[in-house]
Amino acid sequence: MLIVGHRGSHGTGGPLENTLRAFEKALVDGADGVELDVHASADGVAYVFHDVVLERLTEDADPRALADLDSADLARIRLTDGSKIPTLAEVLDLLNGKLEVNIEIKDRAAVEGCVAAVRGRPVDGLLFSSFSVQALQIAAELIPAVPRALISGEHSRDPRMWLEFAWPAWRLAQCKARRWHPNHKLVHRRLVSALHRREIKVQVWTVNCPGLATDLAECGVDGVLTDRPGWLRTSLARK
């Protein structure tokens, strides 16, 4: 089972999420891969940041939306640890093919920026993921060589989404995705086995408990996303 650094390796006493330091620590911690989140700036550059607005992780709690700012604006902003918001290109340069990079496209507007950042690079070890079927469909058209994963959350009031959770293969087919990345509460052994028979890999989020990770491994999942990959790997080795 793969252990993937969710927004890098971060948490209590560690680096800030989605920063170059968090991805460097994931390398040191022996993560099998990292996951990161991408929004596009006003001038179309792919930036690695989870939230729509900057407030939670920036000095002075900047209330603006990342998408409303261009690259010059974003270069002046500092996160709470004093660092800059990295571009996707900067993270890819740092990791340089050393582990798998799961690029979560946060919305349709970020697709072209993500494609521009990866174009011309080796596609081995790159993955596009998204909650948005449309974003993945466009990515499949623009750069089909990069594989895709559909993300599913825990809750929805839409009955069609519950059908996706019970049997996601039809939604995966819509975006030509061969991986499903659900919340860990959605998976069970029979579902994972059925998807594996269709050669669909299952990687779940976000797992910060060794006992839960062990249960998921027994269900047959291919990987887990965790905030603390080094700690989780060590904890599992002790069980």
Side-chain angles (χ1 to χ4, degrees), residues 104-109 111 128-142 147-153 158 160-161 163-165 167-181:
E104 181 181 338
I105 305 172
K106 299 303 288 185
D107 54 34
R108 161 68 184 83
V111 177
F128 284 144
S129 64
S130 185
F131 284 94
S132 169
V133 170
Q134 183 188 34
L136 292 176
Q137 288 173 327
I138 296 169
E141 293 173 3
L142 294 177
R148 292 159 299 282
L150 179 66
I151 309 172
S152 296
D158 185 341
R160 293 172 299 176
M161 296 301 288
L163 177 59
E164 174 190 323
F165 298 162
W167 182 238
W170 69 281
R171 296 281 283 183
L172 290 160
Q174 281 186 302
C175 49
K176 300 178 181 177
R178 305 301 303 169
R179 299 195 194 187
W180 187 41
H181 290 182

Side-chain angles (χ1 to χ4, degrees), residues 207-230:
V207 180
N208 292 320
C209 170
L212 176 58
T214 299
D215 292 343
L216 290 165
E218 292 174 354
C219 281
V221 302
D222 300 283
V224 296
L225 275 66
T226 177
D227 297 331
R228 300 168 65 192

Side-chain angles (χ1 to χ4, degrees), residues 8-217:
S9 183
H10 65 97
T12 305
L16 196 65
E17 67 183 56
N18 275 330
T19 58
L20 294 179
R21 285 184 59 227
F23 300 122
E24 288 173 340
K25 190 170 192 309
L27 281 171
V28 172
D29 285 349
D32 297 303
V34 294
E35 178 267 357
L36 52 82
D37 308 279
V38 175
H39 290 280
S41 63
D43 52 347
V45 177
Y47 277 86
V48 178
F49 196 80
H50 177 270
D51 299 357
V52 172
V53 299
L54 302 175
E55 184 173 13
R56 180 172 65 92
L57 294 178
T58 53
E59 292 180 350
D60 303 320
D62 194 318
R64 294 175 293 178
L66 188 152
D68 292 337
L69 305 173
D70 63 22
S71 298
D73 296 323
L74 290 165
R76 291 189 289 269
I77 291 170
R78 290 295 177 268
L79 299 173
T80 54
D81 67 350
S83 66
K84 296 191 304 179
I85 302 171
T87 65
L88 176 56
E90 287 172 333
V91 175
L92 294 176
D93 287 343
L94 170 72
L95 298 176
N96 194 28
K98 296 172 184 174
L99 40 65
E100 181 176 274
V101 181
N102 171 3
I103 301 165
E104 181 181 338
I105 305 172
K106 299 303 288 185
D107 54 34
R108 161 68 184 83
V111 177
E112 283 83 357
C114 289
V115 170
V118 306
R119 195 177 295 282
R121 300 175 186 268
V123 298
D124 290 347
L126 296 181
L127 173 71
F128 284 144
S129 64
S130 185
F131 284 94
S132 169
V133 170
Q134 183 188 34
L136 292 176
Q137 288 173 327
I138 296 169
E141 293 173 3
L142 294 177
I143 188 164
V146 177
R148 292 159 299 282
L150 179 66
I151 309 172
S152 296
E154 180 186 353
H155 299 295
S156 174
R157 297 180 183 275
D158 185 341
R160 293 172 299 176
M161 296 301 288
W162 283 112
L163 177 59
E164 174 190 323
F165 298 162
W167 182 238
W170 69 281
R171 296 281 283 183
L172 290 160
Q174 281 186 302
C175 49
K176 300 178 181 177
R178 305 301 303 169
R179 299 195 194 187
W180 187 41
H181 290 182
N183 180 280
H184 66 83
K185 295 180 181 179
L186 301 177
V187 299
H188 53 83
R189 187 189 301 271
R190 286 190 348 186
L191 177 56
V192 173
S193 296
L195 292 171
H196 281 171
R197 287 195 291 272
R198 290 176 173 244
E199 298 183 341
I200 293 170
K201 293 184 177 180
V202 180
Q203 192 172 101
V204 303
W205 53 273
T206 301
V207 180
N208 292 320
C209 170
L212 176 58
T214 299
D215 292 343
L216 290 165

